[in-house]
Amino acid sequence: MLYYLLEHLTHMALLMVLALGLNLINGYTGMFSLGHHGFFAVGAYAAGALTLAVTPAAPSLGVGLGVFALSALGGVLAAAAFGVVVGVPCLRLRGDYLAIATLGFGEIVRIIIQNTEALGGARGLEVPYLLLTRGVDTQLPYVALYAALALLAVAATVWTLRAVLRSNHGRAMIAIREDEIAAELLGVNLMKYKLAAFILGAGFAGLAGALYTHFTTQIEPREFGLLKGIYILLYVVLGGMGSMSGTLLATALLYILDKMLLNLLPPEIQAWREVAFALMLVLVMILRPQGILGQKELYQTRLWRRLFKRASPAEAPAP
Amino acid sequence: MTPTPLLHAQRVTKRFGGLTAVADFNLTLLPGELVGLIGPNGAGKTTAFNLITGVYAPSEGHITLAQQPTRGLTPDRIAARGVSRTFQNIRLFDAMTVLENVKTAYNLNTRYTFLDAILRTRRFRDEEDLIHQRALDLLRLFRLEDDAHARADSLAYGEQRRLEIARALATQPRLLLLDEPAAGMNAQETEELMAMIRDIKTRFDLTILLIEHDMRFVMQLCERIIVLEYGRIIAEGTPQAIREDPRVIAAYLGDAAEGVELPPQEPHHAPG
Ligand SMILES: Nc1ncnc2c1ncn2[C@@H]1O[C@H](COP(=O)(O)OP(=O)(O)O)[C@@H](O)[C@H]1O
Ligand SMILES: [Mg+2]
């Protein structure tokens, strides 16, 4: 039981890293990217290919650790590099056009991988276990290790994005969302900051991809399709564009909902839940475009204050 | 010897399709001048600002800033050369706080890197402290310090106009362009604004070009006034000379004298 929980926690945490990165691009900087799953794929496959290229037969733990770190770094850098490659031409596009271009990017990445024999083609890629082997008796330590690593990745993502957003670089990004023209006239270099948001978001997607590859040890192109992109976007939109705790909350809720439906629904209609999720994205965007939390963080909401804080003097009724 | 002009626009024309918004526009601003740009709605005043700040490239003619041509520069690069502005239709960063609005405009002069911010280095902390202090000083100057942590769009109209000026000053400009800074202000606010503009002009050693419909405001504040009509300069001179110019009276003051208030709304999306 604990084993299953940790397994799901790991997958959920990696989705959180993806969604947080997309929120920087779509929620904080105000662009509309639909290709985040493409960066996830680049990170996963770069880490996988790198691992296969450098791992000797029967690696020791030290070597395994080295390869793991190297491939994770490779995944991050490869995805970030793709952020530049996609960003430079695409970021001149506005609104819908950017969405279409990034959507195209995500599909192209998947199709290229599918047709590249060196990356396993449609069969996918299998990498050796590096840190721990997942045997019958090591199931629990294995998932516990990866759950810890994935949660660490979430923490690192939140920490980094928070630090950036509270600096003048982050303010420039938010200013672009608020009023691109005013921001530029006040000295904000639009291309620099849009690209920075893209690179950062892509880099974290790459990290999630690398961890995903090592955790599952088997990746296939069809896991990195548009559906993944729609799921990630739904987490961001439902949680609130521009709210990190909203993203975390929505990812957790929707992940759990998705897995519950998967278990409850009879197999013949299971696939419909994916349709339902895509539909939910459309509905949220129409009915509550600001998401659950809008641009607020959880601790800034009234409910949170009521639950966890005594009335502060400012909130106490006036005499 | 005459001082070198800060801004020089020579025979600048801007056409939008068949419409000539600004025609053959000449302007020389010397350092320290305070000049008014007036004219009926649609005369091309805001378009002139958009040309100076690089939102549009001139269809003809050229513009130099401190004798450097600005053609080909993006608005943020022109801002980096010391031009800052406010907008006719207020354009604050609504969801940000009053203080953050001002801090954002320090971006040009921010030296610390992303990595400094992530690692919270000494350089980051020192510079952020400095930005914080300076932003608060600016807010104090415009009597907005009590609202520092309120959302920008929660301010009253007149306060929003003052915040736009404070934000524009944070880029540390030499040339400040104010597009109808007193619009929507009551008489007392307008009076205070006049004092503030005089104050910041000396305090920050500014050259100011301002568009305003309030004639009393322009006449009292500006040393020199330029009158635009249908994109062309029809008169230029001291407030006294402008007041008595028959063409100006016909084109513009005549309307105002009869109490005709021209609607401030504009149908396009360019910064106004
Ligand atoms: N981006 C644009 N596209 C088309 N027409 C424009 C644009 N910007 C301004 N105009 C037109 O140019 C003329 C001058 O406008 P503007 O400079 O805003 O006048 P003012 O500020 O003097 O009221 C108007 O007729 C306006 O409709
Ligand atoms: Mg105007």
Side-chain angles (χ1 to χ4, degrees):
Chain A
M1 183 61 199
L2 180 61
Y3 159 73
Y4 282 111
L5 276 179
L6 289 174
E7 166 115 35
H8 281 305
L9 184 63
T10 310
H11 283 296
M12 190 174 87
L14 294 181
L15 288 169
M16 285 174 171
V17 173
L18 284 169
L20 287 166
L22 183 63
N23 200 356
L24 181 72
I25 298 169
N26 288 20
Y28 287 97
T29 317
M31 298 183 282
F32 199 98
S33 168
L34 260 175
H36 213 57
H37 55 291
F39 298 123
F40 182 46
V42 169
Y45 271 87
L50 208 59
T51 301
L52 288 177
V54 302
T55 314
S60 66
L61 181 61
V63 171
L65 212 71
V67 173
F68 180 85
L70 181 75
S71 67
L73 187 68
V76 171
L77 293 181
F82 268 76
V84 179
V85 171
V86 181
V88 168
C90 290
L91 293 180
R92 298 187 194 284
L93 305 174
R94 270 160 211 265
D96 310 345
Y97 293 100
L98 178 64
I100 292 165
T102 49
L103 183 136
F105 156 72
E107 282 308 282
I108 289 168
V109 166
R110 190 177 56 80
I111 291 166
I112 288 177
I113 291 170
Q114 213 158 41
N115 292 295
T116 305
E117 266 317 301
L119 293 174
R123 279 172 292 110
L125 213 58
E126 191 170 349
V127 297
Y129 290 108
L130 289 178
L131 302 180
L132 265 181
T133 303
R134 188 176 196 169
V136 184
D137 47 341
T138 54
Q139 293 268 39
L140 194 59
Y142 184 87
V143 289
L145 172 69
Y146 275 95
L149 284 173
L151 287 176
L152 208 63
V154 174
T157 311
V158 170
W159 164 272
T160 306
L161 296 187
R162 222 169 102 104
V164 168
L165 287 166
R166 290 181 171 200
S167 77
N168 233 352
H169 300 305
R171 285 180 206 120
M173 293 175 181
I174 297 171
I176 291 174
R177 174 191 74 197
E178 290 294 301
D179 190 329
E180 186 166 320
I181 290 172
E184 190 179 25
L185 283 161
L186 288 160
V188 171
N189 184 331
L190 297 183
M191 196 60 192
K192 171 182 165 184
Y193 284 104
K194 286 181 174 184
L195 201 54
F198 234 67
I199 291 171
L200 268 171
F204 282 111
L207 176 67
L211 288 175
Y212 184 77
T213 296
H214 287 300
F215 178 50
T216 61
T217 66
Q218 300 192 30
I219 48 176
E220 289 172 39
R222 59 180 182 82
E223 295 173 89
F224 302 95
L226 181 58
L227 189 68
K228 183 71 101 208
I230 289 176
Y231 270 51
I232 306 166
L233 184 63
L234 178 59
Y235 304 149
V236 173
V237 172
L238 185 73
M241 308 266 253
S243 167
M244 282 202 266
S245 39
T247 298
L248 297 177
L249 188 70
T251 307
L253 290 177
L254 289 171
Y255 182 85
I256 293 167
L257 180 67
D258 188 45
K259 294 305 159 198
M260 273 169 50
L261 287 176
L262 189 62
N263 280 318
L264 293 177
L265 294 178
E268 28 334 330
I269 60 166
Q270 268 172 10
W272 283 94
R273 79 189 197 292
E274 294 169 353
V275 178
F277 271 62
L279 214 62
M280 181 145 69
L281 175 62
V282 176
L283 283 179
V284 173
M285 283 169 76
I286 293 170
L287 298 176
R288 196 174 161 86
Q290 75 274 35
I292 303 174
L293 291 185
Q295 289 163 3
K296 285 193 182 137
E297 293 301 339
L298 199 53
Y299 63 85
Q300 293 168 321
T301 59
R302 221 181 288 165
L303 180 68
W304 180 274
R305 285 200 200 116
R306 199 168 295 165
L307 288 177
F308 299 103
K309 285 184 192 158
R310 293 169 174 277
S312 62
E315 284 177 308
Chain B
M1 209 183 92
T2 50
T4 52
L6 180 56
L7 178 79
H8 187 59
Q10 205 179 347
R11 309 206 56 172
V12 171
T13 296
K14 178 67 195 173
R15 280 185 285 269
F16 296 108
L19 180 102
T20 304
V22 169
D24 216 0
F25 182 75
N26 292 297
L27 171 68
T28 302
L29 287 180
L30 299 180
E33 276 197 293
L34 206 176
V35 176
L37 185 59
I38 66 172
N41 255 319
K45 306 180 296 295
T46 298
T47 303
F49 273 21
N50 285 336
L51 288 163
I52 295 169
T53 52
V55 176
Y56 304 136
S59 310
E60 280 164 38
H62 63 264
I63 300 172
T64 58
L65 256 177
Q67 296 183 310
Q68 301 288 317
T70 61
R71 181 172 284 282
L73 295 180
T74 50
D76 61 299
R77 290 299 91 202
I78 292 179
R81 300 213 177 166
V83 183
S84 198
R85 68 177 281 188
T86 66
F87 302 91
Q88 182 178 345
N89 312 316
I90 298 174
R91 300 188 87 123
L92 289 168
F93 307 128
D94 282 343
M96 299 169 82
T97 67
V98 168
L99 185 63
E100 283 168 343
N101 264 271
V102 178
K103 284 184 174 180
T104 302
Y106 281 106
N107 188 276
L108 266 181
N109 299 299
T110 300
R111 294 282 159 265
Y112 64 75
T113 64
F114 275 81
L115 207 57
D116 284 316
I118 294 165
L119 301 176
R120 300 186 59 80
T121 60
R122 162 130 232 150
R123 183 152 87 140
F124 165 76
R125 280 176 287 136
D126 287 352
E127 221 176 306
E128 271 293 308
D129 283 348
L130 194 67
I131 290 170
H132 187 78
Q133 280 317 318
R134 286 197 180 157
L136 276 181
D137 287 346
L138 274 176
L139 289 183
R140 236 171 258 127
L141 209 54
F142 288 89
R143 293 193 293 93
L144 291 164
E145 71 274 20
D146 293 340
D147 297 312
H149 299 288
R151 266 176 69 114
D153 58 2
S154 74
L155 294 184
Y157 196 74
E159 292 172 327
Q160 294 198 16
R161 288 229 174 266
R162 297 210 302 273
L163 175 55
E164 268 211 336
I165 302 177
R167 185 181 66 172
L169 288 175
T171 65
Q172 301 171 330
R174 288 181 289 171
L175 173 62
L176 181 64
L177 310 178
L178 302 173
D179 199 342
E180 305 197 17
M185 286 190 173
N186 62 34
Q188 194 204 333
E189 284 176 320
T190 306
E191 203 65 41
E192 288 170 0
L193 179 67
M194 239 187 284
M196 280 173 187
I197 291 175
R198 285 201 185 96
D199 176 43
I200 58 170
K201 181 173 174 293
T202 43
R203 193 187 288 261
F204 299 109
D205 201 14
L206 295 171
T207 307
I208 297 178
L209 180 64
L210 67 85
I211 298 171
E212 187 47 65
H213 280 301
D214 183 333
M215 277 309 122
R216 229 178 55 84
F217 185 91
V218 180
M219 298 280 170
Q220 279 191 25
L221 201 56
C222 300
E223 303 144 3
R224 181 154 72 94
I225 294 172
I226 295 163
V227 189
L228 270 185
E229 190 190 23
Y230 298 118
R232 287 185 184 278
I233 296 179
I234 57 164
E236 184 170 356
T238 61
Q240 186 60 32
I242 293 299
R243 201 178 281 129
E244 290 160 4
D245 190 307
R247 295 187 63 183
V248 177
I249 294 167
Y252 185 76
L253 296 181
D255 283 353
E258 285 159 29
V260 179
E261 275 297 317
L262 295 151
Q265 266 315 312
E266 285 170 41
H268 53 81
H269 297 291

